[in-house]
Amino acid sequence: MVAICLSLMILFINNPVTDKIQKVMKFELIQLPYESGALAPVISQQTIELHHGKHLKGYVDKLNDLIPGTRFENMDLEDIVKQSDGAIFNNAGQILNHNLYFTQFSPNGSKVPVGGLKQAIESQWGSLDKFKEEFEKEGVALFGSGWVWLARDKDGKLSITKEANGSNPVTKDLVPLLGFDVWEHAYYLDYQNRRADHLKKNYGIS
């Protein structure tokens, strides 16, 4: 079972997502913080290499083609997502989503939330199991392609938000903490159309 890198999630609790993932006009493909096969068998090496090296790279290359000469060319990634639409929004949103997605995993991290995050989850949903149940339900129920996120507002209240296609909770002034990718390219090689199995295996929902 792949563990979520909870230190990253706690960092997001204390700091805005505007840690400036990229501050230059030319965006770059992020480096994985683990080997491409480190999450197997939960996420196979083939899936990681396709998802990261092909899909995410495609979004990065496309955004770099789209922004020169526009008002977005010197913006950081989050501001582009908040202020753009159309193709620029779609590609910038997917870069932001995937940067957070790939860096939330660790082959050796804690499998349960701790500290303030654990307390906040229990306060909002009553128990970790209740949160897991709701998170899985929302992920399975999201129609088509998109993302399900655990997010917090400016007052620290947690919520589960569903985002279509390449959108991200930052468009609602929320801070994303934990993301579930329901685009089929995230799981089809390993789980075919079994989205629920993908969610359970990756996040320890059941």
Side-chain angles (χ1 to χ4, degrees):
M1 180 184 297
V2 173
I4 299 302
C5 185
L6 290 168
S7 60
L8 180 70
M9 294 168 63
I10 293 168
L11 176 64
F12 284 146
I13 289 254
N14 297 320
N15 298 279
V17 116
T18 49
D19 282 339
K20 311 308 180 189
I21 292 172
Q22 297 286 346
K23 282 294 291 181
V24 294
M25 185 181 73
K26 294 294 283 186
F27 294 96
E28 298 180 358
L29 180 68
I30 62 164
Q31 297 298 308
L32 295 174
Y34 40 78
E35 296 297 323
S36 60
L39 306 183
V42 176
I43 307 177
S44 69
Q45 182 172 350
Q46 184 182 18
T47 291
I48 289 290
E49 291 177 351
L50 178 68
H51 197 177
H52 174 263
K54 299 295 185 181
H55 288 282
L56 178 53
K57 185 178 185 300
Y59 299 130
V60 172
D61 292 345
K62 184 63 174 179
L63 184 63
N64 285 329
D65 289 340
L66 290 170
I67 59 174
T70 72
R71 67 187 181 93
F72 304 108
E73 64 180 357
N74 293 314
M75 286 187 185
D76 63 61
L77 191 57
E78 184 186 346
D79 287 337
I80 296 176
V81 174
K82 287 181 175 180
Q83 299 182 37
S84 63
D85 57 18
I88 290 178
F89 171 80
N90 290 333
N91 286 278
Q94 285 289 62
I95 297 170
L96 178 60
N97 287 344
H98 283 87
N99 285 356
L100 298 174
Y101 174 79
F102 283 118
T103 55
Q104 73 185 354
F105 293 119
S106 169
N108 302 307
S110 174
K111 292 181 173 62
V112 295
V114 296
L117 180 57
K118 179 176 184 290
Q119 293 174 9
I121 288 174
E122 291 174 344
S123 175
Q124 185 67 33
W125 284 279
S127 69
L128 180 60
D129 286 341
K130 289 292 185 182
F131 160 71
K132 289 178 177 180
E133 180 181 337
E134 186 68 18
F135 193 73
E136 178 184 355
K137 183 180 73 173
E138 295 297 330
V140 172
L142 193 150
F143 181 79
S145 299
W147 296 76
V148 176
W149 293 92
L150 171 64
R152 71 163 176 87
D153 65 16
K154 59 183 178 59
D155 297 318
K157 182 178 180 180
L158 300 181
S159 63
I160 297 171
T161 175
K162 293 187 287 189
E163 304 291 337
N165 299 317
S167 190
N168 184 281
V170 299
T171 62
K172 302 180 176 78
D173 293 323
L174 300 172
V175 178
L177 304 177
L178 168 67
F180 170 45
D181 189 348
V182 301
W183 285 71
E184 286 192 340
H185 62 239
Y187 60 88
Y188 199 81
L189 291 178
D190 299 326
Y191 300 97
Q192 289 78 52
N193 64 338
R194 303 190 307 275
R195 182 189 291 181
D197 289 349
H198 167 60
L199 179 57
K200 291 176 182 178
K201 295 286 187 180
N202 278 271
Y203 300 101
I205 297 298
S206 303

